Amino acid sequence: MPFSSILSHDSLKRRLIDIVETGRVPHALLIHGPSGTGKFLLARALAERIHCLEPTPDGDACGRCRSCRQHASFNHVDMLYVFPVVKREGGKATVSDDFAEEFHDFVRANPYMDPDRWSATFDKKNARPWIFVDEASLLENRMAITPAISHHKIALVWLPERMREETANKLLKLIEEPFAGTVFILVSNDVSGVLPTIRSRCQPIEVARLSDGDVAAWLASERGLDAADARAAAHIAEGDVNAALRVCDATSVSRLFFDNFKRLMRLAYQRDVRGLKEWSADIAALGRESELKFYEFCQRLIRENFVYNFGISDLNYLTRDEEAFSRNFARFVSERNAPAIVAVMDRAMTDIAGNGNGKIINFDVAVKMIMLIKNC
């Protein structure tokens, strides 16, 4: 995974290469920024460059030496991966190694590391993946061992904001008192969720969102989308490759979300309480994480339909299917009800995140929608 194979971020890639070239590799880095921008790719490229035996003239990893080949196959003995997992049954110790093969397959298929897709790989659909304290204990033992075939032992921690408090405190100690030759690379989608004392001891590397043009070009080259659909998906995704893939994949969760949004609004318009009750149960069956994402999706469509009424196409970021639905639906969204609709969904998300009963919460949203879409 040389830097040259990664989309955009040219100045940042040069900065990371220079860190290695000048021998100023810090013992802890925190690569952070919006989801779907390639942070994990940059972290892997940095680790590979640190271990590379035959770097290119411009300082990048060669991609061909023994060390680079081991990185590509996830077999480098001095490279460790830490990531959120779901607790095993029976109170057994739960660590990343228990899901190593699944994670490697996931990384190959999802280079931009969609956390929702990773959560969906587990059988427990309502369980949120975390980095448990068992992980920190194992990591301490492994990092204490001298690097075997290189000068640095590297631990790449994906989503440190998903660490339990006791896990974060143990990792803090490792970062404060690092073993010789160790490097921690933390990759975060939400830096505010990382323990402040950990943040203060890491060199921060902020990754900016990708441009719409870059995302559209990637979709066209890597997924074969036509230019129009690629541009629409890129606009909607706001620089997030994962979000763009969800938008353009007709079989993805975004299609399910869109169908359920239309179903909610049509049933609410018809005042079909029985149908709305069934809808509420169907949404609850998606699982807590998907329910939260569904309401985020709904809020976006409410905002887009509000803007649609202005008649300025450059302001709208809708797919062709969404735009076709909005031609008739947008008139039911105005300044009189749009803020209230968004507020109702915000409250639902708060209650769901707090382990509230999904069926009851969703039905409350559905009943309120009957009144709100009539108040346009």
Side-chain angles (χ1 to χ4, degrees):
M1 179 58 62
F3 284 109
S4 59
S5 66
I6 300 174
L7 175 69
S8 191
H9 303 308
D10 291 340
S11 61
L12 182 53
K13 288 187 286 189
R14 187 68 257 170
R15 176 184 170 189
L16 292 172
I17 289 173
D18 288 342
I19 285 176
V20 183
E21 288 283 280
T22 57
R24 293 183 288 106
V25 179
H27 72 278
L29 297 94
L30 176 57
I31 302 178
H32 66 94
S35 174
T37 53
K39 300 183 300 298
F40 192 82
L41 288 169
L42 291 167
R44 287 191 67 198
L46 174 61
E48 183 171 327
R49 173 58 189 88
I50 291 172
H51 285 156
C52 181
L53 302 174
E54 301 174 10
T56 64
D58 64 354
D60 202 353
C62 69
R64 300 183 303 274
C65 70
R66 171 172 53 86
S67 176
C68 288
R69 293 197 304 271
Q70 289 172 342
H71 269 274
S73 60
F74 297 96
N75 284 319
H76 199 290
V77 68
D78 291 327
M79 182 72 198
L80 310 175
Y81 287 93
V82 174
F83 45 88
V85 296
V86 169
K87 196 75 173 176
R88 297 169 67 190
E89 297 289 349
K92 296 179 181 178
T94 306
V95 295
S96 301
D97 282 358
D98 297 331
F99 302 90
E101 290 188 13
E102 294 88 341
F103 185 72
H104 299 162
D105 291 341
F106 173 79
V107 173
R108 294 184 184 101
N110 301 272
Y112 284 85
M113 304 299 288
D114 186 343
D116 294 331
R117 288 183 185 269
W118 174 240
S119 296
T121 63
F122 296 96
D123 294 332
K124 298 180 180 179
K125 300 306 177 186
N126 273 331
R128 192 180 193 195
W130 292 96
I131 301 175
F132 298 99
V133 68
D134 303 315
E135 189 78 65
S137 300
L138 177 61
L139 185 61
E140 181 178 13
N141 293 334
R142 298 177 73 179
M143 295 300 274
I145 300 173
T146 303
I149 60 173
S150 57
H151 296 296
H152 295 89
K153 176 162 286 188
I154 302 172
L156 199 167
V157 182
W158 181 50
L159 302 182
E161 59 268 31
R162 293 283 185 90
M163 287 190 290
R164 293 294 196 184
E165 183 177 355
E166 59 270 30
T167 313
N169 287 327
K170 279 203 168 188
L171 180 64
L172 173 63
K173 183 179 178 181
L174 288 176
I175 293 176
E176 285 181 326
E177 303 172 7
F179 296 105
T182 59
V183 176
F184 290 90
I185 306 176
L186 281 59
V187 181
S188 172
N189 288 346
D190 179 16
V191 71
S192 67
V194 179
L195 192 70
T197 45
I198 289 180
R199 295 203 307 263
S200 67
R201 287 160 176 77
C202 295
Q203 179 174 322
I205 304 288
E206 184 173 4
V207 181
R209 61 155 284 182
L210 295 167
S211 70
D212 293 349
D214 283 338
V215 175
W218 187 88
L219 291 172
S221 64
E222 300 295 325
R223 293 295 185 268
L225 265 69
D226 66 52
D229 280 349
R231 284 195 302 270
H235 278 306
I236 294 168
E238 299 181 336
D240 183 343
V241 169
N242 295 321
L245 288 171
R246 291 194 293 269
V247 169
C248 66
D249 185 356
T251 64
S252 74
V253 68
S254 64
R255 169 57 60 181
L256 176 64
F257 286 174
F258 182 45
D259 289 343
N260 275 294
F261 176 82
K262 291 189 294 182
R263 183 180 165 200
L264 168 63
M265 296 307 168
R266 286 167 176 163
L267 289 170
Y269 178 77
Q270 297 164 2
R271 298 176 179 264
D272 185 347
V273 176
R274 178 175 293 181
L276 288 171
K277 186 176 180 180
E278 294 176 356
W279 174 90
S280 303
D282 290 343
I283 297 301
L286 297 176
R288 188 173 298 113
E289 290 293 315
S290 293
E291 284 180 278
L292 295 174
K293 289 297 181 182
F294 169 69
Y295 281 118
E296 288 180 0
F297 177 88
C298 291
Q299 288 177 322
R300 179 184 71 80
L301 280 190
I302 291 298
R303 288 190 289 266
E304 292 296 338
N305 276 269
F306 175 74
V307 173
Y308 189 90
N309 291 306
F310 299 155
I312 306 174
S313 59
D314 288 344
L315 297 179
N316 262 127
Y317 301 142
L318 294 164
T319 66
R320 285 181 290 186
D321 288 342
E322 291 169 353
E323 197 275 337
F325 175 74
S326 296
R327 288 180 204 138
N328 293 320
F329 176 70
R331 60 193 175 94
F332 294 102
V333 181
S334 71
E335 69 278 2
R336 289 190 292 275
N337 65 357
I341 293 174
V342 171
V344 166
M345 293 178 176
D346 266 334
R347 177 58 187 270
M349 292 169 67
T350 299
D351 291 343
I352 290 168
N355 294 325
N357 186 302
K359 291 182 181 179
I360 295 174
I361 295 167
N362 297 330
F363 189 59
D364 180 65
V365 171
V367 171
K368 288 176 178 175
M369 214 55 57
I370 292 175
M371 298 175 285
L372 287 169
I373 66 170
K374 294 291 185 179
N375 185 31
C376 60

